[in-house]
Structures are given as structure tokens and as C-alpha cells.
Amino acid sequence: MTNHQHPNQSNPVLLTPAAAAEMMGLTTKTLANWRTRSGVIYTGPPFLRVGQGRGRIRYPLAGVREWLAQQERAASRKVA
């Protein structure tokens, strides 16, 4: 997992798409597809564009963890 900033409250840990995909067991292509689907409600983990113009995509570690927890809760409700 690649961290681009040190963790603290003012500078959250940001993951590259490759690191986020690895953490979630997905491909970077899947994440890119989720980000670029126009007209569809976005259901993937939260992401940021960092830098000028279109910016580089980064995923806040806390957001990825929360998104994964939500997916687990939703899956357990479907099984029950």
C-alpha cells in the first residue's frame, strides 16, 4: 500500500488508484470505470482530484475503509 502523506488530522493518508485497488481486491480499471460513469449514481469509494486542472486521483484511506465496511454491512444484510 502506497501512502502519499503522513497520517494526522490535517493531512489524511491518500492512496493512489493502484494502492486503493489492491486494498479492495479490485482492478484500477474498475475504479476508473466507477469514476467515469456519467448519468449513474456513484457507488464507489470516495476520491479526490489533487493538483491543478483535472488533477491526480487519490483515495482517502479513511474513506476507503468506511466504504469497505459499508459493503460488508450491506452484504451481511442480504445473507440474513
Side-chain angles (χ1 to χ4, degrees):
M1 180 164 51
T2 304
N3 299 333
H4 292 279
Q5 296 181 6
H6 294 289
N8 68 42
Q9 290 181 351
S10 62
N11 290 319
V13 174
L14 300 176
L15 305 174
T16 64
E22 180 180 339
M23 180 178 180
M24 293 181 277
L26 301 170
T27 66
T28 56
K29 182 71 174 167
T30 296
L31 292 178
N33 287 341
W34 285 350
R35 289 192 311 268
T36 58
R37 294 176 88 175
S38 61
V40 177
I41 296 172
Y42 180 73
T43 59
F47 67 94
L48 306 168
R49 290 188 184 273
V50 179
Q52 295 181 336
R54 291 182 44 130
R56 292 186 174 148
I57 301 295
R58 294 295 180 261
Y59 290 86
L61 177 59
V64 170
R65 286 180 173 157
E66 177 57 30
W67 184 83
L68 286 170
Q70 289 172 355
Q71 302 309 302
E72 290 175 10
R73 287 191 297 270
S76 67
R77 278 187 236 124
K78 289 179 183 178
V79 172

